[in-house]
Structure formats: C-alpha cells, structure tokens
Amino acid sequence: MSPSNEFENFEKIQKNFLNGKISQFIDVYIRQNKVWSAEQIHSEFLEKINSELKNGDHLIDPKYEHLVSEENKQVVEKKILALNWLTTENGKILTINLFNRKIQNTKVIADRKSPIVDRMSFGLKWDKNLFFEINYGRKSKYSYLESKELEKLSINPWTIKHVNLELAEKYNCNILNCLEKLSTSYLENKFVQYWKQNYYFEDKPAIIPEVCGLSSKFYYFTHKDNIYSQKSEILEEITERVYIVNFRYDFLIVNFKTQKIAFIELDGFENHKNRKHQTIDSIKRNNASKNKIVLFTFTSKRINEDIKSVFNELEAFLE
C-alpha cells in the first residue's frame, strides 16, 4: 500500500494530529535555519518523534488514568499509533513529500535573515502575573504568519523596541518592568543595572530574564530526590510520583543583525555546589547545546570585581 493510501486510512483526528505535528515542526525549522532540504529537516523531525515516543510524552500518567474517560484514552492511543507510523519507511516518504511541498511555498523567505527564535517564554510558569510569552512571526502561540506577511515585518526581532512592543500589547508592561520583578538576587540586580545604564537603546538587543522555554518549555524530572533530563532515564519501577520541573536560565540575549544568541547564567555558588546543583547545571549545558545556543556563565567574583569585562565579553561575542 502506498504512503498516501496508508495515511488516508487513518481517522480524521489522526490525520489532523499528524498534519499539525509536521506543519508546526517545519514552520519553526525554516525560520531558525538558513540552509535546509527536506531530508535534512526530516532527520531532525524523526529524532524529535522518536524522543517523544521513548519518553512517553503522550502517555496518560497511570496515577491519573482513572480520571480520564475511555473516549480520551482511545484518542491518545490513536495518536500514539499515528506517531509510530511516522517512523516507518512509508511515514518517512509521506513526511518528506509534505516537507518538499512546504519548502516550495516558503521560498519567499529563504533570503531573509532568521529571527533565530520565534517564541520565548520567560518568568514563573506557576504565577500568571510573572509569566510572559512573546513572539516574532507568529499570529498566536500555535499559528504562524503567512510567508508574505512575514516579509512585510520591518522591526528587528528581539531588540528592546520589539520586546517592549510585544509586552505592551500583551501584558501592558515593558522589559524594565519584567527585569525588576524577575531579577531578584543581588547578582541579577547588579547585572541588570549595568546593562540598563550602558545598553538600553531601542535598536539594541534586549536581555530577557528567567527564560523557561523557546518553541517548547525546558524541563527536567525528579524522582526520589534524584534529577533526570528525560523520563526514560528512570530505569527502576516508578513507585513514587515523578515531578516535572520547568527550569530557567537567568537571561537570554539575541542579536538579530549578527545572528548570535546566548544564554547567560550568573553563578553565585561556584564553590558550594552539591550534586543536585551540578546535575541541573549539566542539564542546562546540554539543553543549550541541543538548541545550538552558547551558554555564558559568569561568577559572582567577576561580576563584583570586573563587571565591565563581563559585558565586553558578551559584546564581543554578539558583534
């Protein structure tokens, strides 16, 4: 049976789920990468799908299974079945065909600089007054501007002007308000004050505090006081609740003009780290690497004694 015929045999809910999954992935990919082919995109897409299946991202937590209706359980099973099909040879053929079609329709933005990222989540996810999501090139959280609309955008993404416009429209505030609320430690305040005094100009890159997600949120898992980067790393039988923790970086900065991006961590405990802190640091480094983002870590000693050199290093990287 041909790939298209196999796909047509899926129920409507499965077709919509797969189409959405494929479309969302390529929309993000082509905006974040300058060079791409359908095969290249598919390779990273398949890696993402296999990771979701391996980690059980779509499974119902057994502890809450009794709260889920049989109808919803069947929907979940159908979606997992459809995801598994994407990993087959016929799934690959159909996906690459869809990617090729999308690429042809998106050539209009091929020569446009990438915004680097098109969505940022920052703040405290559990507090709606201290949680923010801002975009570039999106209509909403889940939908994108058409290519022709994207072409018309004149504002440079992730500058202070762009970030302030996003925050004013969605949250009636600006980046200085957010920095004041979210940068609560002595080191963070000192870092922010220096940046504000020397780099706060509309066309300059903004520093975004407490970044907890880009196209998706950043998570690690805890079980029996141990920390894991993926749920699949918990090898023993799960007898206690697994907690999902949305971790954050102190700051993120993007220079659209030079296509540079960096996470910034201010490290006040360099000589007093326990195993938990070391594991979280490792997860953050691996996550930054996976997202192809440079991670700068500046010690409290350096910030206190020579903060100018800290910003000189950042400026040299971003140029």
Side-chain angles (χ1 to χ4, degrees), residues 238-253:
I238 297 177
T239 56
E240 296 180 15
R241 184 175 176 182
V242 174
Y243 291 90
I244 303 175
V245 180
N246 181 203
F247 67 86
R248 308 183 300 279
Y249 294 90
D250 291 335
F251 300 100
L252 176 69
I253 189 165

Side-chain angles (χ1 to χ4, degrees), residues 130 132 174-185 188-189 192-193 195-196 209 251:
L130 293 175
F132 309 90
N174 60 43
I175 191 59
L176 293 180
N177 302 143
C178 295
L179 287 164
E180 183 179 356
K181 292 176 181 177
L182 294 170
S183 303
T184 55
S185 74
E188 289 171 341
N189 279 325
V192 167
Q193 287 307 312
W195 173 79
K196 179 181 172 183
F251 300 100

Side-chain angles (χ1 to χ4, degrees), residues 2 16 58 68 80 87 123 126 136 180 209 211 272 276 291 293:
S2 71
N16 291 342
H58 303 277
V68 181
I80 293 172
T87 68
W126 59 89
Y136 184 86
E180 183 179 356
V211 174
H272 308 283
K276 177 181 178 181
N291 283 286
I293 298 176

